[in-house]
Amino acid sequence: KQEVTQIPAALSVPEGENLVLNCSFTDSAIYNLQWFRQDPGKGLTSLLLIQSSQREQTSGRLNASLDKSSGRSTLYIAASQPGDSATYLCAVSNTGNQFYFGTGTSLTVIP
Amino acid sequence: DTAVSQTPKYLVTQMGNDKSIKCEQNLGHDTMYWYKQDSKKFLKIMFSYNNKELIINETVPNRFSPKSPDKAHLNLHINSLELGDSAVYFCASSDDRRVTEAFFGQGTRLTVV
């Protein structure tokens, strides 16, 4: 069964820093990987989706990479802002019909 | 327009009651899901429906029963609510014909007292 782990569990950085969030998964036979953001008391907002055939995706200050063979993905956030403070979740899909979620990284960007 | 909408957003109820959470998506997706987020913020799938048919049913008490009247709706009915059912329940949908990006509702915070 797929297991997804995110490191670190919590991260606090000063505004303006670049940062990397890590996601690892045990079964490399994935269909795709998706990064989400969750604000306190809110739902999940999709940030980036990487298909299994892709190596990376970019959206604004966000860049997500995927190394399927090693079971890893990273989410790079450039020039962090206080508004980036949230919990970031990665989820992998093995079949396209189910998403396995990581434990999340709680990010705080200090002004 | 909200892509995936759930109602209610908050639900407080007594033990033993029966309650339902409704979910609707206007994205034309084929697959809908129910996820449970526990107090440690971990999201775990409960059910997955594809074109109104149940395709995934994880280890969930049979007090939980999903109902899909059509492709755009997946409701969650819970019988005989217990304290341990308190959590945030998320509905989601995806289109398995394409990229399978998942879209989530805003969640329903269920509190059983």
Side-chain angles (χ1 to χ4, degrees), chain B residues 12-15 23-24 30 32 39 41 47-48 52-53 59 61 73 85-86 90 97 103 106 112:
Chain B
V12 181
T13 187
Q14 290 185 324
M15 284 176 55
C23 179
E24 176 182 4
D30 300 310
M32 295 186 71
S39 57
K41 307 298 183 187
F47 302 102
S48 174
K52 301 190 336 179
E53 290 188 18
T59 306
H73 296 83
D85 297 333
S86 296
F90 285 98
R97 291 171 298 177
F103 293 84
Q106 81 278 19
V112 183

Side-chain angles (χ1 to χ4, degrees), chain A residues 46-67:
Chain A
S46 178
L47 297 174
L48 289 163
L49 171 74
I50 309 178
Q51 297 181 58
S52 60
S53 59
Q54 297 175 324
R55 298 282 297 189
E56 66 177 336
Q57 283 286 338
T58 298
S59 175
R61 295 182 293 109
L62 304 180
N63 176 275
S65 68
L66 173 64
D67 184 345

Side-chain angles (χ1 to χ4, degrees), chain A residues 31-48:
Chain A
Y31 194 78
N32 60 44
L33 183 145
Q34 195 167 354
W35 281 94
F36 293 88
R37 167 188 174 138
Q38 185 176 26
D39 293 281
K42 303 288 185 182
L44 277 70
T45 300
S46 178
L47 297 174
L48 289 163

